[in-house]
RNA sequence: AGGCGCGUGGCUCAGUGGUAGAGCGCUUCCUUGACACGGAAGAGGUCGGUGGUUCAAUUCCACCCGCGCCUACCA
């Protein structure tokens, strides 16, 4: 038996002190470490490496806590839990943050500054243009800043009590991850899954990089239809409708629906663009919508994805006028590729556009189109009416500010379109929680339009481990890349020479050209399972841990992170990366809007931790079910804190009771334990299905309404009885057994307060120094219970409730003494309640009682027939 | 426009083929020796709408309405 002296304990749990103490103790005792030598079944978690872009918000706390509860449960179930943590530090979010923080821009040609200061830019520095720094310096700044950010994340994770094995920490830019990502690329290259090609690609003009389909989002944008008159060669005219008049110089054809009577006669003839006087073909296409605009449209290189398709299928010429910087490039009409019937006029018009951004060019060209002199044969201005405002969806890079353009560049792709079926099949093999999330995966995969563009024209990322031979003509041969030597990885082709070459041969005829691009960050983070399990570095370990058990993540990155991870596992090892995916919901602000930095509605977690304690914050996180978006509600935190306090106080009370050693013998105590056992089983079932919220609810309901409000009150008198030593032993033994079970039941959810309580004696008694290494409650805890009838407990509850109701109806307090109590119930119920009667009468403060047996009453129903309140003792007047 | 999810007391959310649940909030009462961050009692809902299946529907089916998300939609 455990006996504590509650005198030294406050009435409230000091969460702050406990968090510091236990975090230190856990880390010193390494209780969350994966045991590589253990033969126990592993439970392997593919923890999401958070993007360390600087700011934390409650959304982070939310989903990571949910995973932690499952990890803790599995650990208590005896699984050898593999729970790593990574940091996703490479990529655009970091670059953008570094640019702002230090007020710099990367300029690959800039000279390297060996003594670059790592200091936040001050206001004075921000007034000037951003400082240009070399690629090497820029990467240094990225590394320095992310190191700081990672510290903040790590501190939060530890305070939250995430039971991560910190010896498994990695970052997606560290040496091992770079090596692995390059290895992944070389493997795909060897197997023919990647290719590079010069083709129109989705391009962000601000970041000046290609992006992948998965990173594209539609945004509604206000635009306008411009109705522009085109002449037909040999006579005639028609009016096209376009929202992008600035692309008129890039017009390469005109198309209409083949069944459209208005334009049928035009097919096969040639149109002449206004202003630039370029003859273009007119062709029929089923893709044209007769109802939209004027039913006839111009095809440009490139206005949208359909333009790209027409350009390919109709073998149209290429007139790329928008440059990588989003400005109209210098082109000359009348020269190669830009024919014109009137080059002088065309170049005059184009002079108004060159060097301008798309937006500026649009404004300028509208003015040009209004000029009547631009018209052919005096037919009036080409712009036949005022622009007609419309709202339409435009593709943006999800992190970008200006619409994407299709720009012809050379990029590397991973072939996906020919593997859709097997990728869909892989998704079906994985268990999704909740199950309907698999539909998101399937829909996305079915709708894939493009292979995965994996090259980015950025700096802070993992370089492609390839070079290209340079011919005697000085041109690089991109179709015969020189792969890096696997043993030499990671390599940086911009500063290292390929095998068999010397640095002097860089960019020289007969030499080599180093690939300057870096991987899409998803290319690396989609390898998180391989990084954590050490894939080729430790093949034995990888075999043991892969495929993993669980991937937790949120739903908006199903199309990226989940999808690409499945792709990699498939292409590298023809398998699935994990058996289960648990999809967390979002945290919404109280108005049900998604929390986001840009909206300024973000709640930061630190003050919540200070105010309510980590356990309470966890309680809030764990109250939300998987896949369910949850409005942030501080009330739930208060409820969590109450639960923590209650647990603390109830434990203090229970462990302060003492009795002679012995076992649970009384029917009531046994009956109560049977109900507890059922609760444990139910919570276990919930957790097996990853339903941590259901388990918490079950545990909480039992703890509050069955344990503290009922059982503890009923046996209070007996637990300190001097006249009934056996009864006292039974009560105290049951209380302590129940508390030991309840503490373990709550341990995955409230790790701090449960560990604190455990340390009051359960640690020594059980031989498990930490509750988090103690076994999840099981049959072993309830030995000797056998088929005890829980009815005795139910009857006692019903009895107490009836008395409370009667007291309350008379305005008496629960503690009010009763001179007389006459109660009726069914005979069977009377038999059930009889052994508990002394406990119940003591709890109800009854002096004289009568229990009547009445056949007409239903089971467990108690009717208070007569109740006489005792005189209230005169309160001692101690006026303040 | 298609798909998925949701719509239950004032609020946040569970749940179920057979008299509707919790917490918060509200009302009344109680400072009892673990806990007032506590305890007892109570008020409050035609479970979005309309049909259908069924002895019985909040629960199953169909349609509709509202909200959210995903996908598509740059002429």
């Amino acid at each position: 038996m455990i006996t504590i002296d509650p005198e030294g304990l406050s009435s409230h749990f000091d969460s702050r002190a406990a968090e510091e103490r236990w975090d230190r103790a856990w880390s010193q005792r390494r209780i969350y470490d994966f045991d590589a030598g253990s033969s126990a079944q592993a439970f392997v978690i593919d923890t999401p490496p958070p993007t360390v872009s600087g700011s934390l918000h409650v959304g982070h706390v939310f989903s990571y806590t949910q995973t932690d509860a499952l990890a803790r449960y599995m650990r208590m179930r005896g699984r050898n839990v593999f729970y790593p943590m990574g940091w996703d530090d490479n990529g655009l979010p970091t670059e953008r943050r570094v640019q702002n923080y230090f007020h710099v821009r990367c300029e690959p040609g800039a000279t390297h500054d060996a003594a670059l200061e790592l200091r936040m830019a001050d206001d004075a520095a921000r007034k000037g243009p951003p400082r240009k720094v070399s690629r090497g310096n820029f990467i240094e700044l990225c590394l320095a800043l992310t190191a700081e950010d990672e510290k903040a994340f790590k501190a939060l994770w530890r305070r939250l009590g995430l039971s991560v094995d910190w010896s498994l920490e990695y970052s997606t830019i560290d040496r091992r991850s770079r090596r692995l990502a390059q290895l992944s690329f070389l493997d795909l290259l060897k197997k023919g899954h990647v290719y590079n090609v010069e083709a129109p690609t989705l391009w962000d003009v601000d970041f000046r990089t290609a992006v992948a389909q998965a990173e594209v989002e539609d945004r509604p944008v206000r635009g306008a239809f411009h109705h522009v008159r085109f002449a037909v060669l040999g006579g005639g005219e028609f009016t096209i409708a376009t929202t992008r008049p600035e692309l008129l110089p890039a017009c390469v054809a005109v198309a209409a629906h083949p069944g459209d009577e208005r334009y049928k006669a035009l097919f096969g003839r040639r149109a002449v663009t206004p202003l630039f006087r370029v003859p273009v073909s007119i062709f029929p296409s089923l893709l044209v919508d007769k109802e939209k605009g004027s039913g006839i449209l111009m095809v440009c290189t490139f206005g949208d994805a359909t333009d790209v398709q027409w350009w390919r299928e109709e073998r149209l010429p290429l007139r790329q006028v928008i440059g990588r910087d989003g400005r109209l490039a210098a082109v000359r009409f009348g020269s190669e590729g830009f024919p014109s019937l009137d080059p002088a006029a065309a170049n005059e018009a184009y002079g108004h556009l060159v060097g301008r951004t798309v937006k500026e060019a649009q404004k300028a060209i509208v003015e040009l189109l209004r000029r009547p002199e631009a018209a052919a044969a005096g037919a009036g201005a080409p712009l036949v009416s005022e622009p007609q405002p419309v709202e339409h969806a435009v593709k943006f890079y999800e992190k970008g500010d200006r619409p994407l353009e299709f720009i012809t560049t050379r990029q590397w792709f991973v072939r996906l379109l020919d593997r859709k079926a097997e990728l869909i099949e892989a998704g079906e093999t994985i268990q999704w929680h909740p199950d309907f999330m698999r539909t998101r995966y399937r829909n996305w995969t079915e709708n894939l339009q493009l292979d995965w563009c994996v090259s980015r024209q950025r700096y802070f990322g993992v370089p492609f481990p390839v070079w290209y031979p340079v011919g005697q003509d000085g041109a690089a041969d991109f179709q015969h890349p020189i792969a890096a030597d696997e043993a030499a990885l990671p390599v940086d082709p911009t500063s290292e020479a390929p095998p068999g070459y010397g640095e002097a041969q860089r960019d020289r005829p007969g030499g080599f050209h180093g690939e300057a691009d870096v991987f899409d960050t998803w290319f690396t983070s989609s390898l998180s399972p391989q990084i954590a399990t050490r894939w080729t570095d430790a093949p034995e370990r990888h075999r043991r841990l892969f495929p993993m058990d669980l991937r937790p993540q949120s739903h908006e990155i199903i199309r990226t992170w989940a999808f690409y991870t499945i792709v990699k596992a498939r292409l590298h090892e023809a398998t699935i990366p994990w058996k289960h995916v648990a999809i967390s919901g979002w945290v919404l602000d109280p108005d049900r809007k998604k929390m986001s930095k840009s909206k300024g509605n973000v709640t930061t977690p630190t003050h919540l931790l200070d105010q309510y304690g980590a356990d309470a914050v966890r309680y809030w996180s764990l109250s939300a079910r998987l896949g369910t978006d949850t409005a942030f509600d501080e009330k739930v935190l208060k409820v969590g804190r109450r639960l923590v306090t209650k647990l603390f106080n109830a434990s203090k009370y229970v462990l302060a009771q003492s009795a002679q050693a012995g076992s649970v013998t009384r029917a009531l105590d046994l009956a109560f334990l049977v109900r507890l056992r059922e609760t444990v089983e139910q919570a276990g079932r919930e957790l097996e299905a990853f339903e941590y919220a259901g388990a918490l609810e079950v545990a909480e309901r039992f703890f509050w309404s069955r344990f503290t409000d009922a059982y503890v009150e009923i046996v209070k008198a007996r637990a300190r009885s001097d006249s009934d030593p056996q009864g006292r032993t039974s009560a105290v033994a049951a209380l302590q057994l129940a508390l030991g079970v309840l503490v373990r039941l709550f341990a995955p959810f409230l790790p701090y307060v449960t560990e604190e309580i455990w340390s009051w004696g359960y640690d020594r008694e059980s031989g498990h120094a930490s509750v988090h290494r103690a076994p999840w409650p099981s049959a072993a805890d309830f030995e000797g219970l056998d088929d005890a009838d829980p009815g005795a407990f139910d009857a006692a509850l019903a009895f107490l409730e009836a008395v409370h109701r009667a007291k309350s109806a008379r305005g008496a307090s629960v503690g009010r003494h009763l001179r007389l109590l006459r109660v009726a119930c069914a005979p069977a119920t009377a038999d059930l309640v009889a052994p508990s009667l002394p406990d119940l009468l003591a709890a109800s403060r009854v002096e004289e009682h009568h229990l009547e047996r009445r056949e007409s009453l239903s089971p467990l129903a108690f009717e208070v027939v007569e109740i006489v309140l005792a005189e209230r003792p005169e309160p001692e007047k101690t006026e303040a």
Side-chain angles (χ1 to χ4, degrees):
Chain A
M1 289 241 177
I2 302 164
T3 306
I4 60 163
D5 176 10
E7 283 306 303
L9 298 171
S10 64
S11 68
H12 302 320
F13 175 57
D14 183 348
S15 55
R16 190 68 179 268
E19 284 155 24
E20 278 174 29
R21 180 166 62 252
W22 292 117
D23 173 57
R24 204 177 317 120
W26 293 335
S27 140
Q28 276 166 4
R29 292 194 230 143
R30 311 191 71 87
I31 68 165
Y32 303 131
D33 281 14
F34 172 71
D35 183 355
S38 164
S39 60
Q41 193 190 358
F43 185 79
V44 186
I45 300 169
D46 189 15
T47 317
T51 302
V52 283
S53 62
S55 76
L56 305 166
H57 71 93
V58 287
H60 288 116
V61 161
F62 187 71
S63 53
Y64 282 84
T65 303
Q66 294 168 354
T67 304
D68 180 65
L70 298 174
R72 287 179 180 278
Y73 167 72
M74 291 299 173
R75 197 176 290 112
M76 292 178 78
R77 285 299 305 268
R79 302 286 290 268
N80 188 15
V81 173
F82 183 89
Y83 189 7
M85 183 61 68
W87 311 112
D88 192 12
D89 38 18
N90 71 66
L92 281 176
T94 297
E95 290 197 16
R96 183 154 62 178
R97 190 164 134 72
V98 163
Q99 289 178 0
N100 294 337
Y101 190 92
F102 296 109
H103 198 53
V104 295
R105 290 291 178 275
C106 181
E107 188 79 16
T111 48
H112 190 79
D113 178 356
L116 186 76
E117 245 189 311
L118 303 177
R119 218 185 52 203
M120 187 172 171
D122 53 28
D123 288 345
R126 276 171 207 284
K127 287 212 175 82
R131 216 166 123 198
K132 304 218 152 118
V133 298
S134 72
R135 177 169 168 167
N137 279 143
F138 189 73
I139 289 171
E140 278 172 33
L141 293 173
C142 290
L143 287 169
L145 196 59
T146 51
E148 284 305 305
D149 293 340
E150 283 162 20
K151 270 190 222 161
F153 267 88
K154 188 166 177 177
L156 177 68
W157 287 164
R158 297 191 69 126
R159 180 143 183 223
L160 246 193
L162 298 192
S163 59
V164 160
D165 178 351
W166 288 103
S167 72
L168 303 175
E169 196 175 345
Y170 67 87
S171 96
T172 55
I173 198 69
D174 68 25
R175 193 181 160 79
R176 221 170 50 219
S177 298
R178 293 200 314 271
R179 180 179 147 74
L180 212 82
Q182 293 188 338
L183 220 45
S184 161
F185 180 81
L186 294 181
D187 187 53
L188 298 179
L189 185 65
K190 215 160 34 189
K191 292 175 175 162
H193 295 313
V194 288
Y195 63 94
N196 77 70
V197 66
E198 184 161 9
T201 310
L202 291 162
W203 182 271
D204 185 281
V205 298
D206 288 312
F207 288 112
R208 298 192 196 179
T209 182
V211 303
Q213 190 191 345
E215 296 163 289
V216 174
E217 67 182 24
D218 284 353
R219 295 183 202 161
V221 166
R222 245 194 282 278
F225 266 126
H226 299 73
H227 296 271
V228 180
R229 192 183 344 245
F230 275 51
V232 179
L233 216 51
E237 61 172 46
F238 57 88
T239 302
I240 61 107
T242 177
T243 57
R244 300 203 61 182
E246 72 278 13
L247 286 177
L248 192 57
C251 178
V252 291
V254 164
H257 192 276
D260 195 328
E261 296 299 333
R262 294 171 292 177
Y263 307 115
K264 249 181 171 168
L266 296 174
F267 298 137
R269 300 182 63 187
R270 291 171 76 74
V272 182
T273 64
L275 297 180
F276 306 101
R277 312 281 299 144
V278 179
V280 295
S281 60
I282 305 171
F283 68 92
S285 169
L286 290 165
L287 295 174
V288 180
D289 180 352
K290 284 193 276 192
E291 306 302 318
K292 208 160 180 180
S294 56
I296 186 163
L297 56 87
M298 64 172 182
V299 179
C300 307
T301 52
F302 297 93
D304 63 20
T306 325
D307 282 348
V308 176
Q309 193 181 338
W310 279 319
W311 173 75
R312 284 212 176 100
E313 289 171 359
E314 303 290 327
R315 302 182 171 279
L316 299 170
L318 178 67
R319 283 179 203 122
Q320 183 85 53
V321 298
I322 295 173
R324 298 183 179 205
D325 58 356
R327 291 174 185 275
L328 272 72
V331 299
R332 256 208 101 61
F333 286 87
S335 69
E336 180 66 27
F338 286 88
S340 172
L341 301 178
D342 185 353
N347 286 322
E348 190 278 331
Y350 197 74
H352 291 87
L353 309 179
V354 66
R356 306 226 173 177
T357 64
V358 165
K359 228 173 161 176
E360 293 164 356
Q362 182 171 120
K363 231 170 144 178
I365 201 165
V366 168
E367 290 315 309
L368 295 176
L369 290 167
R370 282 185 215 265
R371 298 198 306 210
E373 64 268 29
L383 192 68
V384 300
S385 60
E386 276 310 294
Q388 183 188 338
V390 287
E391 190 172 86
H392 57 162
V394 177
K395 286 189 195 307
F396 282 74
Y397 173 44
E398 60 189 357
K399 297 182 172 72
D401 298 320
R402 285 195 278 172
L404 288 168
E405 298 292 345
F406 280 90
I407 293 188
T408 302
T409 52
R410 178 169 300 283
Q411 306 291 344
W412 280 95
F413 293 85
V414 176
R415 256 181 255 282
L416 298 179
L417 297 181
D418 55 349
R419 313 194 87 81
K420 276 188 185 185
E422 65 184 81
L423 290 170
I424 291 165
E425 175 56 29
E428 294 302 319
T429 317
I430 295 164
Q431 293 190 52
W432 298 75
H433 307 269
D435 190 64
F436 66 78
M437 288 294 180
R438 78 169 64 244
T439 312
R440 300 252 176 123
Y441 173 84
R442 199 190 316 121
N443 287 349
W444 171 257
T445 311
E446 281 167 355
N447 288 327
L448 263 184
Q449 303 292 320
L450 305 169
D451 283 336
W452 178 12
C453 176
V454 290
S455 44
R456 298 290 180 274
Q457 290 65 54
R458 298 300 308 180
Y459 317 107
F460 189 49
V462 180
F464 277 70
V466 290
W467 298 260
Y468 309 100
V470 174
Q472 292 308 324
D473 59 354
D477 177 4
F478 294 102
Q479 291 324 310
H480 297 91
I482 308 163
D485 188 348
E486 284 192 9
L489 301 182
V491 297
D492 180 357
T494 62
S495 63
E496 294 165 55
Y501 288 83
E503 188 56 40
Q505 291 171 275
R506 183 178 294 277
D507 294 320
R508 293 283 168 78
F512 67 90
H513 172 71
E515 175 60 71
D517 289 355
V518 297
F519 292 137
D520 173 11
T521 57
W522 294 115
F523 190 85
T524 307
S525 46
S526 58
L527 291 165
S528 58
Q530 291 87 343
I531 292 170
T533 62
R534 305 264 172 100
W535 194 19
T536 57
D537 292 345
E540 194 50 49
R541 169 186 158 119
H542 176 69
R543 235 191 315 282
R544 207 172 132 203
L545 301 176
F546 185 88
M548 293 181 149
D549 289 284
L550 176 64
R551 153 63 70 87
Q553 65 162 78
S554 60
H555 48 68
E556 83 273 22
I557 52 175
I558 289 175
R559 67 175 183 171
T560 49
W561 197 36
F563 174 74
Y564 290 143
T565 309
I566 293 170
V567 166
K568 286 289 186 81
R570 186 82 216 152
L571 297 184
H572 288 310
E573 297 179 82
T575 184
I576 50 171
W578 357 258
K579 301 180 188 90
H580 300 271
V581 183
I583 304 290
S584 61
W586 281 337
V587 179
L588 309 174
D589 72 7
D591 298 328
R592 302 206 67 85
K593 297 271 178 296
K594 193 196 173 189
M595 279 195 187
S596 70
K597 234 189 330 188
S598 54
K599 286 197 200 112
N601 58 352
V602 166
T603 306
T604 57
T606 314
H607 82 274
L608 297 175
L609 287 164
D610 289 341
Q611 196 176 343
Y612 298 100
D615 283 337
V617 171
R618 291 175 60 102
Y619 174 89
W620 163 74
S621 305
L622 297 169
S623 301
R625 309 178 110 74
L626 281 178
T628 309
D629 294 346
T630 306
F632 179 72
D633 185 358
E634 210 152 327
K635 283 187 301 195
V636 182
L637 288 164
K638 289 189 180 142
V639 174
R641 190 176 54 184
R642 264 180 0 123
L643 175 62
V644 169
T645 305
K646 190 79 172 175
L647 201 51
F648 182 80
N649 282 315
S651 304
K652 206 169 61 177
Y653 164 75
V654 165
L655 297 181
Q657 308 307 306
S658 62
Q660 288 168 4
S663 54
V664 181
T665 49
R666 292 290 163 89
L668 173 70
D669 305 336
L670 293 166
F672 161 72
L673 292 175
V674 170
R675 291 292 183 226
L676 174 61
R677 184 175 61 186
E678 289 166 4
T679 303
V680 167
E681 287 162 357
Q682 203 182 337
R685 277 195 298 274
E686 296 277 353
L687 282 161
E688 288 295 326
F690 302 146
E691 294 283 358
Y692 50 81
L696 174 57
E697 195 186 318
V698 163
E700 185 187 9
R701 198 170 45 227
F702 184 89
F703 169 72
W704 215 285
S705 76
R706 297 291 118 107
F707 187 63
T708 64
D709 288 351
Y711 182 71
V712 169
E713 294 303 327
I714 295 171
V715 298
K716 235 172 200 174
R718 178 151 54 89
R720 58 169 169 267
S721 163
D722 291 327
S723 58
D724 179 9
Q726 286 86 5
R728 176 169 175 168
T729 292
S730 178
V732 175
L735 282 168
Q736 296 205 357
L737 169 58
L739 182 64
V741 167
L742 285 165
V743 165
R744 279 176 287 154
L745 211 48
F746 282 114
F749 311 105
L750 314 172
Y752 288 109
V753 72
T754 52
E755 186 73 312
E756 182 95 9
I757 295 163
W758 193 256
S759 76
W760 293 344
Y762 287 109
D763 50 350
R764 289 185 300 282
E765 199 192 54
S766 68
H768 295 284
S770 169
V771 69
H772 303 299
R773 280 295 192 177
W776 182 253
S778 67
D781 292 287
F782 298 99
E783 258 182 76
L785 215 52
D786 298 328
D787 9 272
D789 179 4
F793 180 60
D794 303 340
L797 270 178
F799 180 96
L800 203 63
E801 239 176 69
V803 176
H804 282 162
R805 217 173 6 250
K807 281 186 177 177
S808 187
R810 284 157 185 77
S813 76
V814 182
R816 184 70 173 273
H817 285 251
L818 299 179
R819 226 163 47 66
L820 174 70
L821 176 70
R822 195 184 296 277
V823 177
C825 66
T829 307
D831 293 340
L832 265 181
V833 84
S836 323
L837 218 45
D839 290 337
L840 292 168
L841 297 171
S844 312
R845 317 279 206 273
V846 177
E847 287 159 18
E848 187 190 339
H849 80 281
H850 299 280
L851 186 65
E852 291 176 9
R853 290 162 177 259
R854 208 184 286 168
E855 297 283 357
S856 59
L857 287 168
S858 49
L860 295 187
F862 287 92
E863 192 183 308
V864 174
V865 180
E866 190 183 0
I867 183 168
V868 181
L869 303 179
E871 288 305 308
R872 210 201 302 240
E874 271 307 301
E876 285 170 41
K877 296 244 162 82
T878 47
E879 297 285 322

